[in-house]
């Protein structure tokens, strides 16, 4: 028994050669059923009768916390003892509930300030028109690349504000959310209701292998059914960063439907009218762009709108992919009874984008947003800080960024090389690498 470790799940496993138990104190004879405290929600009863059979027979655990070993002292090679080690498994159920996280967040973080939200729209729209006017006026090939980078980023900022409308975190006024959402999303060729509904499905099923909607893993069988060129395109930069328009038209491999088609299985019957409205708004914007192309010329519209649109698409795919991939520690995906809304949300990852944080409305503060999408974007940072003590190791502190988040390009490249598919079986699975890709 000296070489075995007793975990809270009452499992036995071998210890390293350097580990040892403290000498067990003699218990009073009268106290034959003493309670030993654990970090879970319930104690277990440990009989003082010695022997492995008695120990296993009397081990009665009723815990809701993840299995974690009792902390033991481990001697290092330099004979310095007393260092405590504790194993953390991100795939185990957390020792807290959604209500505990909610209670830790200050009440004012949930308040939606409509005028403040509108002020962000006014700011971003003014910057978009100002950039376009300045670039068209200067019309220099020295300025155009700077304009493309800046305007594409601002298109992405507009998308995030429309995204808040879709969640209802923009305002308590449903009609205002819909009007602003349509104006913002249609201007960058996104069908507001079609995307809003599929994104709601994503939040309701985040972390679920089959039911998640965006950037979910391919099962091994689906992955191997793809032809070689498709596999390479899916995992070779920059092609995955151009996926969003194709996703809007035909979704991900293994799924069918379109964000523009009211008959798609993405939607239920009472949502068809909304989808038709959004598709009509999208077509109106496409017609407006066609008209401007005739007036201003194809090259000018290519410089003013088309290239910034591509930059926006790359921002969207880049940010949303890294919300769910690329952490240095492999994160689980779930199926069946192992999945829960809380466990799925805890597999999302916060990212730091330096100067871009404020420009794209702190959408990199993503864990709390995924758990509580009703919180306005301008309160996400405070809500996250308040929730950290509850989340503990289930919150992964983002790497600090320089003014521009170039460090995340390496993170993306590493993930595209190793995160290819998950097993067809198992309720807690991790990404596997296709060594032949």
């Amino acid at each position: 028994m000296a070489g075995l470790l007793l975990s809270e799940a009452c499992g036995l496993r071998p210890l390293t050669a350097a580990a040892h138990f403290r000498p067990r104190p003699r218990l009073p004879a009268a106290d034959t059923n003493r309670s030993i405290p654990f970090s879970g929600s319930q104690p277990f009863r440990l009989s003082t009768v010695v022997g492995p059979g008695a120990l296993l027979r009397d081990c009665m655990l009723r815990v809701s916390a993840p299995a974690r070993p009792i902390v033991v002292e481990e001697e290092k090679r330099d004979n310095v003892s007393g260092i405590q080690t504790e194993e953390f498994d991100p795939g185990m159920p957390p020792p807290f509930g959604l209500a505990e996280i909610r209670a830790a967040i200050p009440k004012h973080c949930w308040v939606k300030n409509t005028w403040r939200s509108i002020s962000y729209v006014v700011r971003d729209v003014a910057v978009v028109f100002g950039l376009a006017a300045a670039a068209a006026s200067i019309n220099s090939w020295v300025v155009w690349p700077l304009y493309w980078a800046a305007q594409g980023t601002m298109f992405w900022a507009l998308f995030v504000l429309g995204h808040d409308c879709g969640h209802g975190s923009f305002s308590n006024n449903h009609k205002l959310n819909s009007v602003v959402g349509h104006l913002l999303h249609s201007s960058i060729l996104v069908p507001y209701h079609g995307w809003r509904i599929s994104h709601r499905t994503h939040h309701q099923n985040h972390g679920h292998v089959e039911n998640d909607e965006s950037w979910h893993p391919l099962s091994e069988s689906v992955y191997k059914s793809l032809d070689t060129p498709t596999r390479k395109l899916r995992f070779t930069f920059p092609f995955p960063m151009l996926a969003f328009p194709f996703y809007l038209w035909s979704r991900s491999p293994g799924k069918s439907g379109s964000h523009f088609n009211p008959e798609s299985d993405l939607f239920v019957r009472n949502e068809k009218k909304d989808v038709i409205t959004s598709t009509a708004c999208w077509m109106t914007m496409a017609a407006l762009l066609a008209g401007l192309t005739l007036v201003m010329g194809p090259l000018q519209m290519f410089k003013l709108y088309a290239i910034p649109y591509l930059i926006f698409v790359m921002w969207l795919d880049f940010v949303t992919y890294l919300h769910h991939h690329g952490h240095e520690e492999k994160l689980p995906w779930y199926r069946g009874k192992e999945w829960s809304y809380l466990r799925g949300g805890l597999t999302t990852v916060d990212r730091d984008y330096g100067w871009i944080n404020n420009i794209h409305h702190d959408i990199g503060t993503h864990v709390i947003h995924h758990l509580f999408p009703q919180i306005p974007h301008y309160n996400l940072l405070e809500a996250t800080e308040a929730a950290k003590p509850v989340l503990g190791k289930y919150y992964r502190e983002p790497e600090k960024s320089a003014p521009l988040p170039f460090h995340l390009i390496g993170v993306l490249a590493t993930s595209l090389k190793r995160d290819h598919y998950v097993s067809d079986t198992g309720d807690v699975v991790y990404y596997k690498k296709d060594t032949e890709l």
Side-chain angles (χ1 to χ4, degrees):
M1 291 299 289
L4 296 176
L5 179 66
L6 177 63
S7 76
E8 285 186 11
C10 201
L12 297 174
R13 43 182 194 176
L15 276 173
T16 60
H20 67 279
F21 284 105
R22 296 175 179 172
R24 180 174 169 179
R26 183 181 299 276
L27 299 177
D31 188 5
T32 60
N33 202 23
R34 187 174 180 179
S35 176
I36 306 298
F38 269 66
S39 60
S41 61
Q42 299 289 342
F44 75 89
R45 317 296 297 184
L46 183 61
S47 171
T48 58
V49 180
V50 298
L55 178 62
L56 293 176
R57 183 178 62 252
D58 293 341
C59 180
M60 301 165 56
L61 293 176
R62 301 187 303 276
V63 296
S64 61
R68 291 179 292 182
I70 297 177
V71 176
V72 299
E73 292 185 357
E74 182 175 348
E75 292 183 355
K76 301 178 71 175
R77 292 184 179 180
D78 58 2
N79 293 324
V80 178
S81 62
I83 297 177
Q84 294 184 335
T85 61
E86 185 177 357
E87 181 182 347
F88 172 69
D89 182 355
M92 294 299 292
F96 50 81
L98 202 63
E100 294 171 71
I101 307 173
R102 182 187 295 271
I105 298 173
K107 292 183 178 180
H108 66 264
C109 288
W110 303 85
V111 178
K112 305 162 191 175
N113 186 325
T114 300
W115 289 111
R116 184 174 182 181
S117 296
I118 291 175
S119 72
Y120 287 109
V121 174
V122 172
R123 181 194 76 176
D124 289 359
V125 170
V127 172
V128 166
F129 279 100
L131 288 172
S137 176
I138 298 172
N139 196 19
S140 167
W141 287 105
V142 176
V143 173
W144 282 117
L146 299 176
Y147 165 77
W148 295 332
Q151 191 71 297
T153 303
M154 291 310 303
F155 280 14
W156 164 234
L158 293 180
F159 176 88
V160 175
L161 292 177
H163 153 274
D164 288 357
C165 292
H167 280 302
S169 62
F170 185 87
S171 168
N172 286 321
N173 188 317
H174 176 73
K175 289 185 178 179
L176 180 63
N177 289 335
S178 184
V179 169
V180 175
H182 273 100
L183 290 174
L184 294 174
H185 274 192
S186 298
S187 70
I188 49 177
L189 295 178
V190 177
Y192 172 70
H193 279 310
W195 178 86
R196 174 187 64 81
I197 294 167
S198 74
H199 189 65
R200 180 190 65 198
T201 302
H202 165 56
H203 270 259
Q204 291 174 343
N205 298 277
H206 47 210
H208 194 289
V209 174
E210 284 82 22
N211 298 339
D212 202 343
E213 178 57 32
S214 56
W215 290 125
H216 63 92
L218 300 180
S219 66
E220 185 172 3
S221 58
V222 171
Y223 175 82
K224 291 184 176 179
S225 70
L226 302 176
D227 55 64
T228 300
T230 300
R231 292 185 205 173
K232 289 185 176 180
L233 285 175
R234 185 176 176 85
F235 297 104
T236 302
F237 185 85
F239 301 108
M241 300 299 101
L242 300 172
F244 184 63
F246 301 97
Y247 165 71
L248 290 178
W249 283 102
S250 59
R251 300 176 75 189
S252 304
K255 295 181 182 289
S256 61
S258 170
H259 290 75
F260 299 92
N261 183 3
E263 301 298 327
S264 171
D265 58 7
L266 273 168
F267 316 116
V268 297
R269 180 175 299 177
N270 63 359
E271 294 170 335
K272 291 182 179 180
K273 185 177 179 181
D274 287 341
V275 176
I276 293 173
T277 300
S278 296
T279 301
C281 290
W282 186 94
M283 294 176 67
T284 301
M285 182 61 189
L288 176 61
L289 292 173
L292 290 173
T293 301
L294 291 176
V295 173
M296 303 174 66
L299 179 60
Q300 188 74 342
M301 281 302 294
F302 182 78
K303 293 185 293 184
L304 282 173
Y305 189 91
I307 296 183
Y309 173 78
L310 289 177
I311 299 296
F312 147 66
V313 167
M314 295 184 74
W315 264 119
L316 189 151
D317 285 322
F318 180 71
V319 173
T320 56
Y321 181 91
L322 290 178
H323 284 161
H324 305 277
H325 299 81
H327 194 264
E328 59 186 12
E329 171 192 4
K330 288 261 186 178
L331 297 179
W333 287 80
Y334 300 102
R335 290 188 179 100
K337 63 181 181 180
E338 290 294 337
W339 180 88
S340 72
Y341 180 85
L342 174 58
R343 293 174 75 182
L346 292 176
T347 64
T348 59
V349 181
D350 279 10
R351 300 291 185 184
D352 183 16
Y353 293 89
W355 288 344
I356 309 298
N357 286 333
N358 181 264
I359 296 174
H360 71 185
H361 308 293
D362 291 311
I363 195 62
T365 311
H366 207 64
V367 176
I368 289 300
H369 166 69
H370 246 276
L371 295 175
F372 305 109
Q374 309 87 359
I375 296 178
H377 70 83
Y378 42 82
N379 291 330
L380 285 175
L381 289 173
E382 182 180 357
T384 298
E385 289 300 319
K388 281 182 185 180
V390 179
L391 298 175
K393 291 184 177 181
Y394 287 88
Y395 179 79
R396 300 155 190 95
E397 198 73 40
E399 179 183 352
K400 292 298 292 182
S401 174
L404 295 176
F406 292 118
H407 70 290
L408 292 177
I409 296 176
V411 175
L412 172 68
T414 299
S415 178
L416 291 176
K417 291 178 181 178
R418 73 179 187 185
D419 298 334
H420 297 150
Y421 61 87
V422 298
S423 174
D424 288 320
T425 60
D427 288 345
V428 181
V429 294
Y430 297 82
Y431 267 110
K432 295 182 178 180
K433 177 180 180 179
D434 179 3
T435 57
E436 298 179 358
L437 186 64

